Structures are given as structure tokens and as C-alpha cells.
């Protein structure tokens, strides 16, 4: 398909060149072959002809600098000034960039332009990610380059959908006593739900998974079907509200897996491995409050999870020889929760923040904004927590989802900013609020853009029209994150960086600043932790620059 578009493109391009050549020849015949201005000729008729040629200077496009129409000369100067002034606002304009980086950038842009030309009208960033994923993986050199890029921090990822679910199926579901709920009622919301029991539950709809595998003829196909049921691949529900129903249902089905004690830690190890291999040095997860369990039914709370993650981070730093590696946890509730539940969760968050200040960093409300309660609904609870926070060394910081909507009357951005959110999740509607954009810039509030998530959940159909580009061009501190990559059938950050590189036409200097933005807006406990993260990233960045030059100079 791409070859067909490519051939059509070059045919059109060739015809265009021939057509333009004919126009130039025709113009030359009408005005004479020599269209240069002879200023030494004092003949009045020649002067009149010169005036005609001056007025048509932009059409001929030839002549020495002294032949240029004064109006056009002034226009070009003012145009260059205007373009430069705007470029000074945009992302990356003041990012340090040495000669070697410029060399790598020239190589990178050459590959990008040639690759985009080869894709022609089938630009992957303009098509749904599920359709183009294999093409990106198999045909894009830019994607391979981005995979090697050190990306800094992943600041917006939900813990129970943060790493690919193949681990849950190939490892987790093969553990003993794993059951799956299968009902004849296709409308039963529990269908496809996993859970571990030490004996057969009384509800006969719970089937032992190992027994089912013994009865199927193709176990590999069966496991693939299980995995597919945990993603949005191939789903089209017509509107984003219906899609959210499917999306939320997946969280319910995997809950019995990701909260089972033997899997919980393993799944986070899987996350660490995927992110580190994809060039991420720092991860911040949204973790909805909820308990974990073991085969006996014993319950483990979020204090256990935070303690366990601190130990796992220490082990991972040694395992991967990455002393800068870190995980931060943002506690959250669904925005459909009632006020008392949210208040109790914030009280718990305040306690966790002060008991584990280097790991637990704040609070958020998650879920579809157009269906759940707006932030203003909880204003009394926020006021109480602000007052309670004065009794602690560390107050409770917020990292609110806001502006993840297609509706014009969503008000969450106003409240997120007034409540001093440290970052804004998504912020799709922010470009419609010029004053709020000014406040975000003034207060240095980072925007966590999740491009693939925004497209799949139907907030943005074409990545080239993503409002994040408007924020980036206004100089706001934009960062790139994956949101729920497991449900979108990928891991890490490279696909999201690829999408914005292609759709927004980003160069290496701008990609560098996106990574720096993520580091600057990470939750580092102190200056030493920040320095460790930034310095380690910088070493990796310049190794990346060498990689581009050494690998792709001859392309």
C-alpha cells in the first residue's frame, strides 16, 4: 500500500516539475530570455521595462541581490524576524545544543524527511495506532532511533496497566489455583475476570484455568485470546463513552491478577525491566487505593505496597547498575467516589507522604471526567486536608487529571490550577483557555501529554491535530507519557515519542528538551537525587548522539 502511494507521489512530483518548467519557459519567451535588470542602460523604454520586471521579481525568482524589489526585501526581513520571534517561544529554542548534536540532528532530520516521504499520504501518525503499530515497528528507522533515546522520566502511567499484560497471562495465570469467571450470560460484567482461590468457589461460573487449558486443542491460541481480551485491540464502540466502558472493564478483569501477592511484585519487576530497556530512568505511577491478597485470603494494604516497592527499587538499582533509577507513587481514587471515601484516602495519602517521603508523593482523582464528579465537588475535603497538612512536615501535593475531555463545559482545569496541582494529566482542553495557559506557564506546571491514549480513547483522531502541539509551541513545560500502555498493547515510551516526533515534526533539540522537562518535573526528594538523575541521563544522551552519528552517517 505504501509503495503505491510512494509511486503516485513521485509521478505527481515529476509532473509538477515539468509543468513549472513550462511556465518558466513561457514567461521567458514573453519577457525575453534575459530577465536580469540592466541598471547601466539609461534608455527610458528600458527603465519602464525594468519597473515591470521589479514588480514581477517574485515570479522570476532570479537575479542578484541588487535586483531584488525593495518591498520584497523589506518583507522578507520582517518575515524572518517574525518567524525567529515565534521560534524563540517554542520548545527547545534555548536548549543547549553543541556541534556534535547538530551533526546528529541533521542526520536525524534527513532520515525523518525521507521516511515521511516514503509513507506519503499514509503517515502513521495520522492513522489509528492499532492499525499502524506493526508498520512502525517493522518499517521505521526513526522508531529504532527513538528506542535508543534516553527519555528521562515517565510521569503519567497507571500502576495496574503500566507494563504489558503478557506477563499476567504467560506467568501469572499459570500459577496454581488461578480461576477465570465464565458465564453463559454475555452481559455478565464478571465474565473474563481472574482470581485465585485455595479451593473451588461455590459459584460454578468460576473455572480452574489449568483445567480449561487441558481441554483446549491449541493452548497458544487460547492464551492469545486471553491476552487480547485485556486490550482494546479491534474494539470500536462508536463513541468514546462506550469505549471507556470497555476500558474500565479491563481493569476489573485484571484486578485479581495484579493484586495477587506473588504476581504484584513480579508485575512491577516487569514494568521496571520494560521501562529501563526503553531508556527510562524514573517512573511515577498512579496507584488506586486497594488491597492485595494471598492464597489464604490474607489482606495486604498500600503501606505494604510502598514498603515493598522501596525494597524493589534498591534491588533494581543494583541489578541494572542504575543508581539514579527511582519509582514514585501517587495515590488515587476514581472520581466517581463519594466525598467521605476521597477524604479518607487523602488522609491516608498524607500519612503515607510523611512516612515514605522519598517514594509516596501525592494524590489524584482518575477516570472519565465527563462522567465522574468534578474537582469542585470535593472542595470541602480539599480544604480540610489543607488545614490538616499544617500538622505534618510534608503537605499533600496534587497531580490532577484535568482537561481530558471533548466537552467545552468541563471546569476541572480551573480547580486543578487553583488547588496548586504540581502537574496536569492530559490537559487536552487547555489550549481553549488562554488565561489558564498563562498561569500554567507562570507557575511552571508540567503537562503530561499521553498521545496514544488520547487517540485510542477518541479524544484526538489524528495525532497531527493533537492540542499538545499548541501547548508545546506556547513554550509550556510539556512531557510525554504512556498512560495505560498495557491496555493499548505496548510497553515503554518509544511509541509515544515516535507519534509526537512524526506528527509534530520534532527535531533532536526538541526531543532533548522533552526529556529534560520530564526530569525537571519529576519528584526528586532532594537536590542530590535530582543531580544523580540528570547527570546519569546526560551521559546517556551524549552516548545516544554518538550512536546516531556512528550508525547512520552514511544513510
Amino acid at each position: 500500500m505504501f509503495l503505491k502511494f510512494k509511486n503516485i507521489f513521485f509521478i505527481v512530483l515529476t509532473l509538477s516539475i515539468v509543468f513549472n518548467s513550462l511556465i518558466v519557459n513561457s514567461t521567458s519567451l514573453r519577457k525575453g530570455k534575459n530577465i536580469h535588470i540592466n541598471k547601466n542602460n539609461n534608455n527610458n523604454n528600458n527603465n519602464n521595462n525594468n519597473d515591470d520586471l521589479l514588480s514581477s521579481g517574485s515570479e522570476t525568482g532570479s537575479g542578484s541581490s541588487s535586483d531584488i524589489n525593495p518591498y520584497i526585501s523589506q518583507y522578507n526581513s520582517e518575515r524572518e524576524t517574525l518567524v525567529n520571534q515565534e521560534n524563540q517561544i517554542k520548545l527547545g529554542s534555548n536548549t543547549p545544543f553543541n556541534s556534535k548534536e547538530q551533526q546528529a540532528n541533521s542526520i536525524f532530520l534527513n532520515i525523518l524527511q525521507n521516511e515521511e516521504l516514503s509513507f506519503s499520504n499514509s503517515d502513521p501518525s495520522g492513522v489509528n495506532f492499532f492499525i499502524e503499530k506493526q508498520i512502525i515497528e517493522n518499517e521505521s528507522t526513526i522508531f529504532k532511533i527513538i528506542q535508543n533515546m534516553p527519555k528521562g522520566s515517565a510521569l503519567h502511567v497507571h500502576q495496574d496497566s503500566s507494563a504489558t499484560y503478557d506477563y499476567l497471562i504467560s506467568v501469572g495465570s499459570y500459577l496454581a489455583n488461578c480461576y477465570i469467571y465464565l458465564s453463559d450470560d454475555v452481559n455478565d460484567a464478571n465474565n473474563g475476570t481472574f482470581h485465585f482461590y485455595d479451593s473451588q468457589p461455590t459459584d460454578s461460573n468460576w473455572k480452574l484455568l489449568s483445567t480449561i487449558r487441558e481441554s483446549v486443542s491449541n493452548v497458544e491460541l487460547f492464551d492469545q485470546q486471553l491476552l487480547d481480551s485485556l486490550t482494546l485491540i479491534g474494539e470500536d464502540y462508536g463513541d468514546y463513552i462506550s469505549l471507556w466502558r470497555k476500558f474500565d472493564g479491563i481493569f476489573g478483569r485484571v484486578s485479581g491478577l495484579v493484586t495477587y501477592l506473588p504476581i504484584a511484585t513480579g508485575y512491577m519487576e516487569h514494568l521496571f525491566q520494560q521501562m529501563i530497556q526503553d531508556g527510562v530512568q524514573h517512573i511515577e505511577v498512579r496507584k488506586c487505593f486497594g488491597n492485595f491478597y494471598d492464597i489464604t485470603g490474607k489482606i495486604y494494604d498500600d503501606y505494604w505496597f510502598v514498603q515493598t516497592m522501596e525494597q524493589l527499587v534498591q534491588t533494581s538499582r543494583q541489578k541494572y547498575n542504575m543508581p539514579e533509577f527511582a519509582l514514585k507513587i501517587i495515590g488515587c481514587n476514581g472520581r466517581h467516589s463519594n466525598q467521605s471515601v476521597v477524604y479518607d484516602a487523602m488522609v491516608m495519602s498524607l500519612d503515607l507522604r510523611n512516612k515514605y517521603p522519598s517514594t509516596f508523593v501525592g494524590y489524584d482523582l482518575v477516570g472519565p471526567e465527563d462522567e465522574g464528579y468534578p474537582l469542585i465537588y470535593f472542595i470541602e475535603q480539599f480544604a480540610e486536608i489543607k488545614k490538616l497538612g499544617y500538622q505534618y512536615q510534608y503537605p499533600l501535593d496534587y497531580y490532577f487529571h484535568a482537561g481530558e475531555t471533548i466537552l467545552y463545559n468541563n471546569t476541572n482545569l480551573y480547580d486543578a490550577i487553583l488547588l496548586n496541582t504540581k502537574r496536569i494529566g492530559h490537559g487536552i482542553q487547555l489550549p481553549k483557555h488562554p488565561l489558564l495557559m498563562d498561569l500554567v506557564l507562570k507557575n511552571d506546571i508540567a503537562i503530561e501529554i499521553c498521545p496514544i491514549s488520547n487517540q485510542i480513547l477518541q479524544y484526538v483522531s489524528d495525532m497531527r491535530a493533537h492540542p499538545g502541539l499548541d501547548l508545546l509551541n506556547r513554550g509550556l513545560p510539556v512531557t510525554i507519557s504512556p498512560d495505560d500502555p498495557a491496555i493499548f498493547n505496548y510497553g515503554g515510551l518509544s511509541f509515544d515519542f515516535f507519534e509526537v516526533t512524526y506528527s509534530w515534526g520534532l527535531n533532536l533539540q526538541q526531543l532533548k528538551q522533552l526529556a529534560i522537562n520530564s526530569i525537571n518535573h519529576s519528584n526528586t526528594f532532594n537536590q542530590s537525587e535530582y543531580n544523580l538523575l540528570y547527570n546519569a541521563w546526560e551521559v546517556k544522551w551524549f552516548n545516544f548522539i554518538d550512536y546516531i552519528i556512528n550508525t547512520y552517517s552514511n544513510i
Side-chain angles (χ1 to χ4, degrees), residues 121-135:
N121 291 333
S122 295
D123 185 337
S125 62
V127 184
N128 187 280
F129 173 72
F130 287 147
I131 298 174
E132 298 298 318
K133 180 174 180 284
Q134 284 190 330
I135 295 169

Side-chain angles (χ1 to χ4, degrees), residues 73-86:
S73 178
Q74 181 180 353
Y75 179 89
N76 287 337
S77 176
E78 292 177 356
R79 185 178 186 276
E80 182 179 4
T81 299
L82 183 61
V83 170
N84 288 338
Q85 286 175 340
E86 184 179 60

Side-chain angles (χ1 to χ4, degrees), residues 84-119:
N84 288 338
Q85 286 175 340
E86 184 179 60
N87 285 340
Q88 285 301 310
I89 300 173
K90 294 181 179 179
L91 175 85
S93 60
N94 298 312
T95 306
F97 214 59
N98 63 30
S99 59
K100 183 175 272 191
E101 288 172 298
Q102 291 172 5
Q103 180 185 356
N105 190 47
S106 296
I107 297 169
F108 181 81
L109 290 179
N110 182 57
I111 296 171
L112 177 62
Q113 289 166 4
N114 288 331
E115 197 170 286
E116 287 183 324
L117 184 62
S118 72
F119 283 130

Side-chain angles (χ1 to χ4, degrees), residues 289-493:
F289 287 106
N291 294 325
F292 299 81
Y293 71 103
D294 63 20
I295 195 63
T296 69
K298 182 179 178 181
I299 296 301
Y300 302 78
D301 60 18
D302 284 290
Y303 289 88
W304 169 85
F305 181 72
V306 176
Q307 292 170 3
T308 303
M309 290 304 101
E310 288 193 336
Q311 296 167 6
L312 185 59
V313 166
Q314 292 297 333
T315 302
S316 298
R317 286 171 177 169
Q318 296 175 1
K319 178 180 179 180
Y320 297 102
N321 191 25
M322 288 180 62
E324 78 277 12
F325 179 74
L327 171 75
K328 309 295 177 177
I329 301 170
I330 299 168
C332 57
N333 290 105
R335 58 179 67 252
H336 57 275
S337 303
N338 64 45
Q339 292 167 323
S340 62
V341 168
V342 168
Y343 177 75
D344 290 343
M346 288 195 290
V347 171
M348 185 177 181
S349 296
L350 194 55
D351 188 50
L352 284 164
R353 176 81 181 103
N354 283 270
K355 286 183 176 176
Y356 309 99
S358 64
T359 300
F360 193 94
V361 296
Y363 182 77
D364 186 16
L365 287 164
V366 301
E369 290 185 49
D370 300 332
E371 292 190 302
Y373 294 116
L375 292 175
I376 190 64
Y377 178 74
F378 302 102
I379 189 60
E380 292 183 5
Q381 288 69 46
F382 293 137
E384 287 295 320
I385 290 297
K386 182 177 180 63
K387 180 180 178 181
L388 184 61
Y390 292 129
Q391 303 176 23
Y392 290 82
Q393 181 178 359
Y394 302 103
L396 185 60
D397 291 329
Y398 299 125
Y399 300 84
F400 287 126
H401 281 64
E404 187 188 14
T405 176
I406 58 175
L407 300 183
Y408 68 89
N409 58 350
N410 184 289
T411 63
N412 285 329
L413 284 166
Y414 293 99
D415 298 300
I417 292 171
L418 287 173
L419 289 165
N420 297 316
T421 188
K422 296 294 184 181
R423 300 194 301 261
I424 291 174
H426 300 286
I428 295 170
Q429 291 294 311
L430 189 56
K432 297 181 180 179
H433 300 275
L435 178 59
L436 297 188
M437 282 196 291
D438 289 341
L439 288 173
V440 166
L441 187 60
K442 176 184 176 181
N443 297 330
D444 196 29
I445 302 171
I447 311 299
E448 304 162 345
I449 298 294
C450 305
I452 292 175
S453 172
N454 297 156
Q455 185 192 58
I456 291 176
L457 294 178
Q458 299 187 6
Y459 295 109
V460 178
S461 59
D462 189 327
M463 211 70 77
R464 294 169 294 189
H466 195 292
L469 179 58
D470 298 330
L471 303 176
L472 181 146
N473 285 340
R474 284 286 298 268
L476 274 66
V478 169
T479 65
I480 304 299
S481 287
D483 202 13
D484 302 282
I487 297 178
F488 309 140
N489 196 35
Y490 72 97
L493 257 177

Side-chain angles (χ1 to χ4, degrees), residues 212-230:
I212 297 177
R213 283 195 174 103
E214 290 173 358
S215 66
V216 299
S217 58
N218 190 330
V219 175
E220 183 177 350
L221 177 61
F222 175 73
D223 285 351
Q224 185 60 51
Q225 291 171 339
L226 290 178
L227 179 59
D228 289 346
S229 74
L230 303 180

Side-chain angles (χ1 to χ4, degrees), residues 161 254 331 425 444 455 548:
S161 57
V254 302
D444 196 29
Q455 185 192 58
I548 293 176

Side-chain angles (χ1 to χ4, degrees), residues 13-34:
L13 180 62
T14 303
L15 290 174
S16 176
I17 292 170
V18 172
F19 182 68
N20 287 335
S21 177
L22 290 172
I23 292 175
V24 171
N25 290 336
S26 175
T27 303
S28 298
L29 289 171
R30 289 197 308 270
K31 297 186 178 180
K33 281 188 178 181
N34 185 4

